[in-house]
Amino acid sequence: MKSDLIIMGSGIAGNLAAMYFRKKFPDINVTLVGKQKSRSPLVGESTVEVTVQFLNAIGLSTLLEEKHYHKYGLSYYFKQSYDKKCNKYVVHEAPGINRLPSFNLNRNVFDQDIRDINATLGIRRIDQDVQEVILSDNNDHKHQVILKGQNGETTHIDADWVIDASGRRRLLAKQLQLHKAPAYQRSSFWFRMNSFDRTKLFEMTDTRVNHHCYDPYYVTHHFYGQGYWIWIIPLKASTGKDHVSIGITYRPELLGQKNVQLESLLTILDNDHPSISAMIRSGSIDDTCSYNNYMYEAEQYYSKSGWYLLGDAAFTFDPANSAGLAYVAHEITQIASMISKDRNHELTQDYVDAMERHVKAQLALQDSWSNWYLIMNDPLKMAWTLKVANMGYFHVVLPNFINGSYLDGRSANHFAKLLPRFSKENAPKCYPFPELLELITEQIDPSQPLAPELIPNLYEKTINFRLYRATNDKDRARFVSRYFFKLARLRLYVMKKVKWQFNIKHGVVMTKSLIAIASDLIKSTVIFCIPSFYVKKAKVNSSLSSPYTNMGDHLRCLTHDKKHTPPLQSMMKNDDQPAQVDSREISEMEM
């Protein structure tokens, strides 16, 4: 048996990859191998704009609109005191609707729908387990995947390219001994529930920006505590009942618990966030899932010889800021760019190395997020950390993805230089403006409420509301220019909150802060005036150039027959016949 491309794994990463490759390369045959695991834990319900841009590209926009809730951003709840018994919060939520949408996915519904769509695309599906992969050592790409049948018999498939999307089975990583331990471990426990009282979530005293844009329930909610954070994700259920995903992710050594389950979670929430525990107790639990010490990485993710690791088969991630499927979107499109160059006999080791560096640069963000757990019970530091992190996402990461610049090898190498990985011992502070925030912390009376202006909601000043389409390189540079300009303004805002004293320590901090502001303003000005200072692109048709000529080409795919696939298939009155209208009704309406 022969296939151009084999994808091992029938989960969400494998199915999305199969759909993208089938639409991007309609002249190659795609085989999806692996048994559907009916009881596998589902995680990855909250999407971000990167993810949705990818899903829209493969024709799923109607599916998202009809079957899943719009997500109006990420909302963060910061206690207005260092006392965990405090039930007063400063809430950071979007004061408007972002021009690029995101959604909260009911994964049971979504996963089944994409499998149904793939069944109509000519993707071969083999419901068998992979026993072994025999990889070619040279550039002829004659890989062989050995399958094991129900009765123990084996068959094999030859393939030019092999993608491992087997999830936590990690077929290739284990076979090739690529396992790499992460800097820090995390554990997670989560569940879905229905028939609950959602109003109990808002039984708190909060300070938030008033707006008239959306119901504040329809976001992804984040709460924080010592060594942990909580997510609450509203989901759309086909039954019409309220449905929600609630979970905790934690560093066990900081939380002081190795294996959080429902009862221990409720105990934590009773002490720290009683409104959440009240909402949980008002409903009915559908299922529970947990991962203990689930983090891992790999020594290598892509190979010039035509094998690739994708999704959880490559590395696991912290669900903070809903980045999981965004990583998958980057990986799928990177693999496609390498296959595209390979088909044209243009793929070089330098280009593969550049894509690999981009993946590892993204893991540098995971390193930083690991250290966030040290400050999650500190509302001052955590609030400012998230402001700056989200500002970087909207001004740098998101424009790069929509534009496709990360598929240019020189641009990917430049991105990797901007996000180096550090050892535990040499890791910088995980929060911005550390010396300023330390001074403010020293001046705060921990027995008194934290002034809201110390942790203000600055969403409208930090989010890039101008972004709504693929931008050219000049606009990308200007977004980065605005990032540094806004960073300077944020630092100045924090400086104004310090009660300055006439001494050497304060003088040194003030001098360093003013120099940092001047540096950010200089960067902003230079990048605005000279975009090439930031934009680094390889020459056309060079070994590092992207296989796509025009910006956004990686997100342009063939469409599929939407009329006969979810969701329109079940929404139309008849498959082929238009709805009939009684002419007498028209006459009556006209009268």
Side-chain angles (χ1 to χ4, degrees):
M1 192 182 303
K2 176 71 169 67
S3 179
D4 296 317
L5 170 64
I6 292 179
I7 301 172
M8 303 183 298
S10 59
I12 187 171
N15 274 281
L16 290 176
M19 188 180 297
Y20 181 84
F21 284 107
R22 184 61 181 152
K23 292 185 172 187
K24 200 66 180 172
F25 306 120
D27 58 325
I28 72 172
N29 54 69
V30 178
T31 301
L32 193 60
V33 178
K35 290 183 178 180
Q36 180 181 333
K37 308 296 183 181
S38 59
R39 301 195 64 179
S40 296
L42 294 178
V43 66
E45 296 148 320
S46 175
T47 69
V48 293
E49 295 76 12
V50 163
T51 308
V52 173
Q53 290 302 300
F54 174 78
L55 298 180
N56 287 348
I58 55 178
L60 300 182
S61 56
T62 304
L63 183 70
L64 295 172
E65 293 285 355
E66 294 293 341
K67 289 197 170 185
H68 304 276
Y69 282 144
H70 267 274
K71 172 185 134 182
Y72 298 106
L74 304 172
S75 290
Y76 305 104
Y77 295 75
F78 302 107
K79 282 185 177 289
Q80 206 175 326
S81 171
Y82 288 95
D83 182 1
K84 65 180 183 179
K85 293 292 186 181
C86 173
N87 200 35
K88 294 182 178 180
Y89 297 83
V90 174
V91 182
H92 290 190
E93 65 181 9
I97 298 175
N98 192 359
R99 299 169 79 176
L100 295 176
S102 56
F103 292 84
N104 287 333
L105 303 180
N106 183 328
R107 282 287 307 278
N108 285 304
V109 173
F110 183 78
D111 288 22
Q112 184 58 54
D113 282 340
I114 61 175
R115 284 193 291 266
D116 291 345
I117 293 172
N118 276 346
T120 71
L121 299 180
I123 297 169
R124 179 195 298 163
R125 182 181 294 275
I126 300 178
D127 190 23
Q128 293 182 15
D129 286 329
V130 175
Q131 178 173 293
E132 183 185 3
V133 183
I134 302 175
L135 298 171
S136 171
D137 293 331
N138 51 46
N139 293 328
D140 62 7
H141 293 6
K142 301 301 182 184
H143 307 302
Q144 194 172 87
V145 177
I146 311 299
L147 306 180
K148 184 177 181 180
Q150 292 183 346
N151 299 320
E153 74 280 7
T154 61
T155 57
H156 72 269
I157 309 176
D158 296 325
D160 295 323
W161 303 283
V162 175
I163 298 175
D164 184 2
S166 62
R168 297 174 67 82
R169 291 184 63 196
R170 308 183 70 203
L171 292 169
L172 283 182
K174 290 180 178 179
Q175 179 178 315
L176 300 176
Q177 298 182 336
L178 297 176
H179 175 78
K180 180 180 179 181
Y184 299 96
Q185 271 299 348
R186 250 89 88 217
S187 295
S188 190
F189 168 77
W190 72 100
F191 57 91
R192 281 161 281 266
M193 59 183 295
N194 59 52
S195 304
F196 56 92
D197 182 359
R198 69 167 71 174
T199 65
K200 291 187 176 297
L201 177 61
F202 300 100
E203 291 180 352
M204 64 178 75
T205 302
D206 58 40
T207 299
R208 64 175 76 212
V209 175
N210 292 324
H211 62 80
H212 306 279
C213 300
Y214 57 86
D215 185 323
Y217 175 71
Y218 296 100
V219 299
T220 296
H221 306 265
H222 296 71
F223 292 78
Y224 299 95
Q226 176 66 50
Y228 75 87
W229 67 276
I230 302 289
W231 77 72
I232 301 175
I233 306 174
L235 304 174
K236 190 173 185 178
S238 57
T239 61
K241 292 184 178 180
D242 249 347
H243 198 49
V244 70
S245 170
I246 300 177
I248 179 173
T249 300
Y250 56 98
R251 277 180 54 180
E253 79 281 11
L254 297 178
L255 180 63
Q257 295 192 37
K258 294 183 178 180
N259 185 20
V260 172
Q261 296 296 314
L262 183 59
E263 288 305 315
S264 51
L265 174 61
L266 286 171
T267 299
I268 293 170
L269 296 177
D270 285 339
N271 291 326
D272 294 359
H273 306 290
S275 60
I276 304 177
S277 58
M279 186 177 78
I280 294 172
R281 288 191 170 93
S282 72
S284 174
I285 305 294
D286 283 344
D287 60 357
T288 61
C289 309
S290 65
Y291 283 150
N292 293 326
N293 295 325
Y294 69 87
M295 299 292 287
Y296 54 78
E297 298 178 18
E299 295 288 350
Q300 182 180 350
Y301 300 101
Y302 303 144
S303 170
K304 184 175 179 291
S305 64
W307 60 260
Y308 312 94
L309 307 185
L310 171 64
D312 283 359
F315 60 86
T316 44
F317 48 84
D318 193 308
N321 285 356
S322 310
L325 288 178
Y327 285 131
V328 171
H330 277 90
E331 291 165 346
I332 290 174
T333 48
Q334 285 180 325
I335 294 170
S337 70
M338 287 182 278
I339 290 178
S340 179
K341 290 176 77 76
D342 199 11
R343 297 181 74 199
N344 294 322
H345 307 289
E346 298 172 350
L347 183 64
T348 64
Q349 188 62 51
D350 286 345
Y351 187 80
V352 176
D353 290 344
M355 296 299 100
E356 179 104 2
R357 290 189 191 100
H358 188 273
V359 172
K360 293 179 178 179
Q362 290 181 311
L363 289 174
L365 297 175
Q366 293 282 344
D367 296 341
S368 179
W369 295 356
S370 296
N371 289 318
W372 286 3
Y373 289 80
L374 298 169
I375 60 170
M376 283 183 175
N377 64 328
D378 187 325
L380 176 69
K381 293 174 182 175
M382 196 64 200
W384 283 98
T385 297
L386 290 170
K387 284 185 185 69
V388 174
N390 288 334
M391 191 168 71
Y393 165 76
F394 277 99
H395 287 80
V396 182
V397 177
L398 181 55
N400 285 357
F401 180 80
I402 297 175
N403 174 279
S405 63
Y406 65 101
L407 300 176
D408 178 275
R410 188 181 178 204
S411 180
N413 285 332
H414 180 59
F415 182 81
K417 289 180 181 179
L418 297 177
L419 282 176
R421 300 193 75 177
F422 297 93
S423 65
K424 280 185 179 182
E425 298 74 22
N426 297 320
K429 295 287 188 181
C430 64
Y431 50 93
F433 324 135
E435 292 179 319
L436 291 172
L437 293 181
E438 291 293 349
L439 284 183
I440 293 176
T441 300
E442 293 172 4
Q443 296 169 352
I444 291 174
D445 183 350
S447 65
Q448 298 297 316
L450 199 63
E453 58 267 22
L454 288 178
I455 49 175
N457 180 7
L458 300 177
Y459 241 111
E460 61 186 5
K461 298 184 183 300
T462 57
I463 301 305
N464 187 2
F465 286 102
R466 300 186 182 190
L467 181 62
Y468 67 96
R469 62 180 180 180
T471 57
N472 58 38
D473 291 330
K474 184 177 181 180
D475 285 338
R476 275 200 309 122
R478 287 182 173 177
F479 288 146
V480 174
S481 171
R482 290 192 190 105
Y483 168 82
F484 283 110
F485 179 75
K486 292 178 179 181
L487 189 64
R489 291 185 64 181
L490 292 180
R491 193 187 302 269
L492 182 60
Y493 182 100
V494 176
M495 285 186 68
K496 292 179 179 179
K497 301 304 174 184
V498 176
K499 298 175 182 177
W500 293 102
Q501 300 173 13
F502 191 74
N503 58 44
I504 294 176
K505 179 180 179 180
H506 280 231
V508 169
V509 173
M510 177 177 284
T511 301
K512 288 182 177 180
S513 299
L514 290 173
I515 292 173
I517 289 174
S519 175
D520 289 337
L521 291 176
I522 290 172
K523 292 175 184 176
S524 175
T525 303
V526 171
I527 293 173
F528 184 87
C529 297
I530 311 173
S532 60
F533 187 80
Y534 168 74
V535 175
K536 307 294 183 183
K537 295 191 71 173
K539 294 181 180 180
V540 177
N541 296 325
S542 70
S543 64
L544 289 177
S545 64
S546 168
Y548 304 109
T549 304
N550 302 311
M551 63 181 184
D553 274 354
H554 64 303
L555 296 180
R556 296 185 180 97
C557 301
L558 296 179
T559 187
H560 61 269
D561 180 9
K562 294 186 179 181
K563 186 171 75 169
H564 294 100
T565 55
L568 296 184
Q569 182 183 43
S570 61
M571 294 170 62
M572 296 181 65
K573 186 173 182 179
N574 293 305
D575 284 347
D576 299 308
Q577 297 296 323
Q580 299 297 315
V581 180
D582 193 322
S583 60
R584 290 172 299 178
E585 294 179 4
I586 295 177
S587 299
E588 290 171 1
M589 288 189 290
E590 290 176 345
M591 292 175 62

